[in-house]
């Protein structure tokens, strides 16, 4: 069903320069609308991960929490309790209990530790696994991931554990086991933008209060937490579930009860990792290679460095130091308590957890929001219509340079097709615009200057001798130094690339523009592969004074190409020396066959090429089935990414028949799809 989702990220249009850094950071892309002068957010498609908040250096993206409503509720004398996320230990190091003291001082009646809710969560997970014996469980403490699955991958909702998050466990625990606070409003002291979505969907939680809002208020109000006495939480202490905010914290807590769970768990986090993983997960499930438990978080360093935290710029070691410190303190607390002197401390923890755990209390249902995803995929004809508007007229113009933020030209074109962007935001379009007449360039200089200053592509202007006259901030960052104007472009090239550059300078004397690759070396010695689109500059008398170029960093693309080349080399070695027949089919026609395959059928290479597998098969198989129909089914399965293996009767050139085992697989070589046939 289609549902209007809560607005949790806003845009200051006056600060937005339309640089598309937010789109590049966003894992779902099309919740951003870049069709105007600034990039807007479609809240019904946004998963609330907060990646754009981190990447926007212009403060144009704004998080929306409930801090002001929280303060007003206290001012009006409303009854409020607070629950605090485990990541507080990293964000208010050695002061998180002082923070509790301050909460009590401003009228909050009780403060609960979500870490204990995490203990309950792990117990619920293990109970669900034991009772239901699922083949796969996707953990759900991260609301951004939950929203992503609800909108974009609803087919995975059946594997999303039907159990509440640690925060929901904590809130339900309060309502059920602390009747004194049953009707109190709950303020959630949170590291996460997306948590508000979870509260709205479940009906629990009143105020999402960001660490950032708290910290800003304390600083502007000159409040020193050291002036407040440390106050412990009002619920029982957690043990190792204080690790829950760290990557793998769920797994480490579950190991206390089930040590072997580590070997059945996939720990994965980070926006540019987890969502690609989830896209591929249905195929993995079908293959039967999925883990039992997926311990997943949206943020690369876990909730400790979530979108509303104070430590995103700190090293992982510093962040985790305070989490691990608290972990050791909590474990020692249980190991040294009187209750554990005469019994197993794990049993003591389990008995305590059971006091606050009740069957069916902490269950969770999810909503299929796939109707929110209205994005339409253009046909091939529609795609090229958009490409033409982007001044792309052939496959050579599809550069996938990533400057638009979508990473692929096809994705950018899809955004334009859905009225979420415009051709003018394409780097290639800008290059085509740039080769207009010098007079037209001067007229549009102000507009172009703003684009060049904010684009994620490098811009350089040189004279006829290769001296740098002008460079934009992106290029300076690429070269690793700010002061490059006045230097020679040759200073950043080795001998081999100097020769290439000289050739290109000479070419510019005979043609106005060109495109070539060059390897530069940055100040720190790093090698960067660049795609350069160069255009001549002339003075008013028509004399060439130099050239300018748009420079794309294609280092990652080059590395990927090398990986593909290595894979193809390995394939060719196997192809030639295998002791079984290998055939390569394009559109069911045999285009290559190894030596063993030729021997198997008694054919020469000339006789084999252009034949089909059906031509070597009798009309019917021994079971009476029609060979042509049955073989087509196997090919269709292969093109659908299955890898069928089946027994088959084949006929040699001399008409003698033999039994065989055939395995089919779809492979891609140099970007083209083939069917690989192995016959044993």
């Amino acid at each position: 069903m289609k549902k209007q989702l809560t607005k949790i990220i806003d845009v200051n249009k006056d600060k937005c320069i339309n640089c598309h850094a937010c789109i590049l950071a966003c894992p779902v892309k099309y919740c951003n609308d870049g069709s105007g002068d600034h990039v807007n957010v479609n809240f019904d498609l946004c998963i609330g991960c907060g990646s754009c908040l981190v990447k926007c250096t212009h403060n144009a993206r704004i998080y929306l929490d409930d801090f002001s409503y929280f303060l007003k509720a206290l001012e009006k004398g409303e009854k409020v309790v607070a629950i605090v996320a485990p990541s507080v230990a990293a964000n208010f190091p050695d002061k998180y209990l002082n923070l509790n003291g301050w909460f009590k001082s401003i009228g909050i009646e009780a403060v609960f530790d979500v870490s204990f809710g995490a203990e309950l969560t792990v117990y619920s997970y293990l109970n669900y696994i034991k009772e239901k014996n699922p083949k796969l469980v996707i953990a759900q403490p991260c609301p951004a991931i939950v929203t992503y699955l609800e909108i974009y991958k609803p087919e995975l909702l059946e594997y999303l554990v039907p159990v509440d998050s640690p925060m929901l466990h904590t809130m339900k625990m309060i309502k059920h086991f602390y009747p004194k606070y049953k009707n109190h409003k709950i303020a959630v002291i949170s590291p996460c933008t997306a948590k508000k979505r979870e509260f709205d969907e479940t009906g629990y939680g009143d105020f999402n209060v960001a660490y950032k809002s708290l910290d800003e208020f304390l600083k502007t109000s000159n409040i020193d937490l050291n002036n407040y006495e440390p106050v412990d939480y009002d619920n029982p202490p957690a043990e190792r579930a204080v690790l829950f905010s760290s990557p793998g914290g769920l797994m480490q807590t579950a190991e206390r009860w089930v040590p072997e769970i580590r070997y059945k768990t996939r720990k994965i986090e980070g926006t540019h990792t987890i969502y690609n993983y989830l896209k591929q997960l249905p195929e993995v499930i079908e293959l039967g290679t999925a883990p039992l438990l997926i311990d997943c978080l949206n943020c690369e360093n876990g909730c400790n460095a979530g979108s509303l935290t104070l430590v995103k710029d700190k090293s992982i070691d510093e962040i985790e130091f305070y989490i691990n410190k608290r972990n050791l303190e909590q474990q020692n607390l249980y190991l040294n308590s009187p209750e554990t002197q005469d019994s197993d401390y794990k049993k003591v923890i389990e008995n305590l957890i059971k006091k606050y755990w009740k069957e069916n209390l902490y269950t969770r249902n999810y909503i299929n929001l796939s109707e929110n995803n209205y994005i339409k995929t253009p046909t091939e004809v529609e795609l090229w219509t958009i490409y033409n508007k982007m001044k792309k007229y052939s496959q050579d113009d599809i550069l996938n340079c990533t400057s638009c933020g979508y990473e692929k030209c096809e994705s950018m074109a899809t955004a334009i097709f859905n009225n979420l962007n415009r051709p003018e935001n394409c780097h290639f379009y800008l290059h085509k615009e740039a080769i207009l007449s010098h007079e037209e360039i001067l007229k549009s200089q102000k507009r172009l200057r703003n684009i060049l200053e904010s684009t994620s592509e490098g811009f350089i202007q040189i004279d006829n001798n290769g001296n740098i006259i002008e460079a934009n901030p992106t290029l300076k960052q690429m070269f690793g130094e700010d002061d490059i104007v006045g230097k020679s472009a040759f200073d950043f090239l080795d001998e081999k690339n100097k020769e290439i550059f000289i050739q290109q300078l000479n070419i510019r004397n005979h043609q106005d523009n060109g495109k070539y690759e060059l390897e530069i070396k940055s100040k720190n010695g790093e090698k960067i592969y660049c795609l350069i689109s160069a255009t001549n500059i002339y003075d008013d008398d028509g004399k060439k004074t130099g050239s300018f170029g748009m420079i794309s960093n294609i280092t990652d693309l080059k590395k990927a190409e090398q990986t593909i080349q290595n894979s193809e080399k390995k394939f060719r070695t196997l192809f030639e020396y295998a002791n079984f027949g290998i055939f390569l089919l394009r559109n069911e026609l045999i285009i290559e066959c190894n030596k063993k395959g030729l021997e198997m059928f008694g054919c020469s290479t000339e006789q084999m090429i252009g034949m089909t597998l059906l031509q070597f098969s009798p009309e019917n198989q021994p079971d009476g089935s029609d060979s042509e129909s049955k073989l087509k089914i196997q090919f269709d399965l292969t093109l659908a990414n299955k890898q069928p293996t089946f027994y088959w009767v084949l006929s040699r050139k001399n008409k003698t028949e033999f039994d065989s085992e055939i395995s089919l697989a779809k492979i891609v070589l140099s970007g083209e799809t083939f069917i690989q046939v192995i016959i044993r």
Side-chain angles (χ1 to χ4, degrees), residues 22-23 26 29-34 39-41 61 406 420:
C22 51
I23 299 177
C26 180
K29 306 299 183 189
Y30 302 127
C31 66
N32 297 280
D33 184 346
V39 183
N40 275 320
V41 180
R61 288 289 170 110
Y406 295 94
L420 295 175

Side-chain angles (χ1 to χ4, degrees), residues 29 111 277 283 461 544 548 563 572 592 623:
K29 306 299 183 189
V111 184
Y277 176 84
E283 182 179 346
Q461 181 179 341
K544 178 176 172 291
F548 68 85
T563 300
R572 291 297 170 186
E592 281 195 62
D623 62 0

